[in-house]
Amino acid sequence: LPIALVLALVLASGVRGEKFYRTVYFIPVIVSTVIIGQLWMKIYHPSYGMLNTLLRSTGLENLAQPWLAQKETALAATFIPMIWQYIGYHMLLLYTAAKSVSSDIYEAARVDGATDRQVAAYITLPQIVPMLKTCVIFAVIGSLKSFDLIYILTKGGPSQATEVPATLMYSNIFTKYAYGYGSAMAVFIIVECLLLTVLIQRLFPSDPN
């Protein structure tokens, strides 16, 4: 979300190539998760993966490692493609909210001598708080129900290092055939989403103005 917010504010400020960058950042959102998983598996491959190849070619071969196959790096390695996939989604929502702010407010701030940072901090951000709250809710709920990309990359391994509620629920129902336990976990995930949504609604101010 912080990265998406920065990108949204920069694009909304009217940079050159605004429409092009907006489209490029949104492309990962419309790409199938299976394709993204396969792409990043190739990037992380210990032998011919782009990441390790780049490290070796720049003299950092001591940093090359099996990113998805060891407990210390597997979880972070699964987070990166998830962030990459959804930055464009949240960026577009925040960008739309920022562009909807009246231009008269910006012009008045410029006349008063406000800098770009001051405009972003004291005008744009307070005006897009409702959309920011929506993005936080989407991000939290999406994190709790994350499954497909993690399952494609690691299936919850190695040694359960990337196990999340959804993959644990799946393994209990379809691998261990513990239907009752897995169903209880599914209900618990739903309850978590509801409780955190209510909590986020209370944390954000009801009237940003």
Side-chain angles (χ1 to χ4, degrees):
L1 282 179
I3 300 173
L5 179 60
V6 171
L7 292 175
L9 293 177
V10 171
L11 290 181
S13 65
V15 297
R16 181 178 297 180
E18 177 182 337
K19 294 182 179 180
F20 171 77
Y21 289 116
R22 185 181 62 197
T23 304
V24 169
Y25 292 143
F26 192 73
I27 286 176
V29 180
I30 61 177
V31 176
S32 169
T33 303
V34 176
I35 296 175
I36 291 176
Q38 292 296 323
L39 169 66
W40 282 88
M41 285 178 69
K42 299 297 184 294
I43 293 175
Y44 286 135
H45 195 278
S47 300
Y48 58 80
M50 186 182 72
L51 180 56
N52 282 346
T53 301
L54 182 63
L55 291 172
R56 294 189 185 102
S57 63
T58 54
L60 300 174
E61 59 274 357
N62 58 317
L63 297 179
Q65 52 193 299
W67 300 95
L68 295 174
Q70 56 185 18
K71 296 174 63 175
E72 294 77 15
T73 58
L75 188 61
T78 59
F79 285 166
I80 293 174
M82 293 174 66
I83 293 172
W84 176 77
Q85 182 180 13
Y86 287 105
I87 277 180
Y89 176 74
H90 295 288
M91 181 275 298
L92 189 61
L93 292 176
L94 295 170
Y95 166 83
T96 304
K99 293 293 284 188
S100 66
V101 179
S102 175
S103 59
D104 295 337
I105 302 177
Y106 291 125
E107 291 175 3
R110 299 296 184 190
V111 170
D112 291 337
T115 63
D116 291 339
R117 291 185 179 182
Q118 290 173 330
V119 169
Y122 299 108
I123 297 178
T124 307
L125 281 179
Q127 293 293 322
I128 65 172
V129 164
M131 182 59 73
L132 189 59
K133 177 175 65 175
T134 301
C135 288
V136 172
I137 293 174
F138 285 170
V140 170
I141 293 176
S143 300
L144 288 173
K145 65 184 186 66
S146 296
F147 171 78
D148 43 8
L149 191 55
I150 294 177
Y151 189 78
I152 293 169
L153 291 172
T154 62
K155 292 183 172 58
S159 301
Q160 297 182 319
T162 59
E163 197 81 84
V164 294
T167 58
L168 188 60
M169 175 197 69
Y170 180 88
S171 63
N172 274 283
I173 294 178
F174 297 103
T175 303
K176 301 177 182 177
Y177 303 106
Y179 298 107
Y181 188 50
S183 299
M185 293 184 67
V187 173
F188 185 73
I189 293 173
I190 295 174
V191 173
E192 278 185 317
C193 292
L194 291 174
L195 291 177
L196 287 173
T197 300
V198 173
L199 178 62
I200 294 170
Q201 293 276 6
R202 292 181 178 273
L203 290 176
F204 274 81
S206 56
D207 184 6
N209 300 317

